[in-house]
Amino acid sequence: MSIPAAAQFYYGLFQEYGKNRVQYNDEFLWRFYRFDRFDVYFYTGGTPIAQRASFMMEQQIKQIERTLETSFDERIQVLVFNSL
Protein backbone atom coordinates (compact mmCIF):
# COMPACT_ATOMS: atom_id res chain seq x y z
CA MET A 1 0.00 0.00 0.00
CA SER A 2 1.46 3.37 -0.95
CA ILE A 3 0.55 6.85 0.20
CA PRO A 4 0.52 9.52 -2.51
CA ALA A 5 2.61 12.62 -1.75
CA ALA A 6 1.97 16.07 -3.11
CA ALA A 7 4.51 18.83 -3.43
CA GLN A 8 4.62 22.22 -4.98
CA PHE A 9 6.70 22.31 -8.17
CA TYR A 10 8.86 25.42 -8.35
CA TYR A 11 10.18 27.08 -11.48
CA GLY A 12 12.45 29.80 -10.08
CA LEU A 13 13.33 31.00 -13.54
CA PHE A 14 9.75 32.03 -14.26
CA GLN A 15 9.41 34.15 -11.14
CA GLU A 16 8.94 37.86 -11.76
CA TYR A 17 11.80 40.13 -10.81
CA GLY A 18 11.54 41.51 -7.33
CA LYS A 19 13.50 43.04 -4.54
CA ASN A 20 15.03 39.76 -3.35
CA ARG A 21 15.89 38.35 -6.75
CA VAL A 22 19.29 38.77 -8.39
CA GLN A 23 18.94 40.99 -11.43
CA TYR A 24 21.54 40.84 -14.17
CA ASN A 25 22.03 43.69 -16.61
CA ASP A 26 24.80 45.41 -18.53
CA GLU A 27 24.68 48.63 -16.53
CA PHE A 28 27.72 47.68 -14.45
CA LEU A 29 30.59 47.81 -16.95
CA TRP A 30 33.30 48.65 -14.46
CA ARG A 31 36.27 50.87 -15.28
CA PHE A 32 38.90 52.36 -13.00
CA TYR A 33 41.40 55.14 -12.49
CA ARG A 34 44.77 53.96 -11.13
CA PHE A 35 46.87 56.18 -8.89
CA ASP A 36 50.06 55.51 -6.91
CA ARG A 37 48.31 54.46 -3.71
CA PHE A 38 44.70 53.72 -4.70
CA ASP A 39 42.32 52.72 -7.49
CA VAL A 40 38.89 54.26 -8.03
CA TYR A 41 36.38 51.88 -9.66
CA PHE A 42 33.24 53.22 -11.33
CA TYR A 43 30.68 52.11 -13.90
CA THR A 44 28.76 53.62 -16.82
CA GLY A 45 27.65 57.16 -16.05
CA GLY A 46 29.86 57.52 -12.97
CA THR A 47 32.84 59.31 -14.52
CA PRO A 48 32.20 62.75 -12.92
CA ILE A 49 31.66 61.19 -9.49
CA ALA A 50 34.79 59.04 -9.87
CA GLN A 51 36.86 62.08 -10.85
CA ARG A 52 35.63 63.96 -7.78
CA ALA A 53 36.26 60.93 -5.54
CA SER A 54 39.79 60.62 -6.96
CA PHE A 55 40.49 64.28 -6.24
CA MET A 56 39.15 63.99 -2.69
CA MET A 57 41.02 60.75 -2.01
CA GLU A 58 44.29 62.29 -3.22
CA GLN A 59 43.82 65.18 -0.79
CA GLN A 60 42.56 63.16 2.20
CA ILE A 61 44.58 59.91 2.16
CA LYS A 62 47.09 61.15 4.74
CA GLN A 63 44.27 62.36 7.03
CA ILE A 64 42.53 58.97 6.72
CA GLU A 65 45.76 57.21 7.72
CA ARG A 66 46.16 59.50 10.74
CA THR A 67 42.53 58.94 11.80
CA LEU A 68 42.85 55.16 11.51
CA GLU A 69 46.34 55.27 13.10
CA THR A 70 47.86 53.09 10.39
CA SER A 71 49.54 53.44 7.04
CA PHE A 72 48.21 51.62 4.02
CA ASP A 73 50.83 49.18 2.74
CA GLU A 74 48.75 48.01 -0.20
CA ARG A 75 46.75 49.83 -2.85
CA ILE A 76 43.31 50.96 -1.62
CA GLN A 77 40.30 50.13 -3.78
CA VAL A 78 37.53 52.72 -3.80
CA LEU A 79 34.15 51.77 -5.30
CA VAL A 80 31.96 54.57 -6.62
CA PHE A 81 28.24 54.01 -7.19
CA ASN A 82 25.96 56.36 -9.13
CA SER A 83 23.12 56.12 -6.60
CA LEU A 84 22.34 54.75 -3.19
Side-chain angles (χ1 to χ4, degrees):
M1 184 176 197
S2 65
I3 301 172
Q8 180 180 2
F9 194 66
Y10 175 67
Y11 283 109
L13 296 175
F14 298 118
Q15 179 182 15
E16 291 184 23
Y17 277 87
K19 203 173 191 180
N20 295 327
R21 178 143 173 108
V22 176
Q23 299 179 19
Y24 299 98
N25 58 34
D26 294 333
E27 181 180 338
F28 294 101
L29 299 174
W30 291 94
R31 289 181 254 154
F32 67 96
Y33 292 135
R34 176 160 284 192
F35 295 89
D36 291 337
R37 301 187 62 200
F38 61 92
D39 297 332
V40 177
Y41 289 85
F42 61 99
Y43 59 91
T44 307
T47 304
I49 303 168
Q51 290 172 345
R52 179 69 178 154
S54 301
F55 177 75
M56 292 173 64
M57 189 69 181
E58 191 74 48
Q59 289 184 333
Q60 298 295 322
I61 194 165
K62 292 188 186 302
Q63 178 63 35
I64 294 168
E65 288 178 331
R66 279 194 299 269
T67 302
L68 297 176
E69 298 177 356
T70 187
S71 68
F72 300 123
D73 298 329
E74 298 179 7
R75 184 181 306 275
I76 301 168
Q77 297 174 346
V78 179
L79 301 177
V80 175
F81 292 91
N82 296 349
S83 66
L84 294 177

